[in-house]
């Protein structure tokens, strides 16, 4: 997932040379929905003796929510943002997802609880985001700033979706491929309805652009979502979001090597703070003084 989703920021940047940001998001979700639909049609996966597709209306409403919050809105935001920011920087902002997931899973949906170290990690991650944005650079609202805020908004959407999925859907007996198909397929259906608004402008297709769109759809918005559901069910929302450890590394490396993108000092510095915040939030980095009673124990020692 990290390799495929990390590459998606490069693919979007290349595709913007021939199609609009709306057409990129449209292609991702329609092609992803078709790919997953074929997989479900051929395999007809079931959990036990249950149906292939859920029968309860409320389940379809939950899928409509995550289709909008986890696909339609963030895909549009990232594609729009890459008109103004580098693919590397967009991939770095995607790494904020675990911080947003921890907040949503704890405060909004109450499916997890944060200990002192995790709260410190969230705070450190937020500081890192501020450093990445570099508010001292902007005397006015520029396209670059709006692009960064759009990336941040997409990360918030992903965090909301991880928490919502864990709260209302991940425990239901729905096969992973069916789960992914309903998520992406409903989002693709929404995009088809929005075709006159998002996808009717002229396009200038080349072979690299076509390949990038196919990879974004069939792989990044198709197969990878099946893997994502399996990981979410096995690890929970906060741990599942750790795929974003790998995503910015892949995105930055590809952006630098393929597109010759560069950084200012504050972007990698802020990214490092975000990474440290994620490690604390995921309980992969521990300090004794951040544990309950840790400061008192350290003092007595």
């Amino acid at each position: 997932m990290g390799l495929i989703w990390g590459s998606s920021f490069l693919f979007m940047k290349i595709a913007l040379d021939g199609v609009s940001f709306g057409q990129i998001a449209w292609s991702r979700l329609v092609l992803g929905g078709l790919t997953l639909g074929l997989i479900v049609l051929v395999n007809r996966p079931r959990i036990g003796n249950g149906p292939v597709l859920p029968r309860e209306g409320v389940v379809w409403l939950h899928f409509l929510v995550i289709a909008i919050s986890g696909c339609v809105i963030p895909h549009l935001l990232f594609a729009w943002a890459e008109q103004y920011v580098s693919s590397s920087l967009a991939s770095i902002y995607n790494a904020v997802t675990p911080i947003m997931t921890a907040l949503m899973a704890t405060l909004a949906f109450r499916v997890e609880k944060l200990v002192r170290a995790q709260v410190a990690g969230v705070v450190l991650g937020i500081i890192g985001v501020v450093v990445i944005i570099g508010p001292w650079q902007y005397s006015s609202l520029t396209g670059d700033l709006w692009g960064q805020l759009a990336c941040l908004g997409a990360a918030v959407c992903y965090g909301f979706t991880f928490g919502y999925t864990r709260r209302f859907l991940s425990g239901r007996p729905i096969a992973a491929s069916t789960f992914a198909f309903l998520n992406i397929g409903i989002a693709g259906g929404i995009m088809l309805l929005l075709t006159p608004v998002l996808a009717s402008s002229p396009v200038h297709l080349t072979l690299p652009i076509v390949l990038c769109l196919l990879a974004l759809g069939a792989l990044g918005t198709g197969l990878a979502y099946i893997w994502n559901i399996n990981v979410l069910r096995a690890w929970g929302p906060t741990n599942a979001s750790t795929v974003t450890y790998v995503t910015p590394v892949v995105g930055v490396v590809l952006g630098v090597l393929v597109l010759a993108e560069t950084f200012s000092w504050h972007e990698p510095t802020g990214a490092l703070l975000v990474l440290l915040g994620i490690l604390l939030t995921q309980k992969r980095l521990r300090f004794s003084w951040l544990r309950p009673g840790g400061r008192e124990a350290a003092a007595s020692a």
Side-chain angles (χ1 to χ4, degrees), residues 26 28-38 40 53 60 63-64 66-68 70-72 75 176-193 217 221-222 225-226:
W26 187 96
R28 289 187 69 175
L29 292 170
V30 172
L31 291 174
L34 289 173
T35 300
L36 293 168
L38 287 174
V40 171
L53 298 176
W60 288 84
F63 274 108
L64 175 62
I66 65 171
I68 294 172
C71 298
V72 174
H75 286 5
S177 55
T178 303
F179 201 110
F181 166 63
L182 290 174
N183 186 9
I184 305 303
I186 291 174
I190 293 172
M191 286 303 201
L192 287 174
L193 293 176
T221 320
Y225 270 78
I226 298 177

Side-chain angles (χ1 to χ4, degrees), residues 70-92:
C71 298
V72 174
I73 296 176
H75 286 5
L76 284 169
L77 285 175
F78 268 126
W80 181 85
E82 287 209 32
Q83 298 175 112
Y84 305 102
V85 302
S86 67
S87 65
S88 302
L89 186 56
S91 69
I92 290 174

Side-chain angles (χ1 to χ4, degrees), residues 10 15 48 54 74 80 94-95 108 117 146 216 225 239 250 261 286 291 294:
L10 172 68
W80 181 85
N94 191 62
W146 281 114
L216 283 169
Y225 270 78
N239 284 329
V250 175
E261 295 176 345
R286 301 175 185 272
R291 299 172 188 167

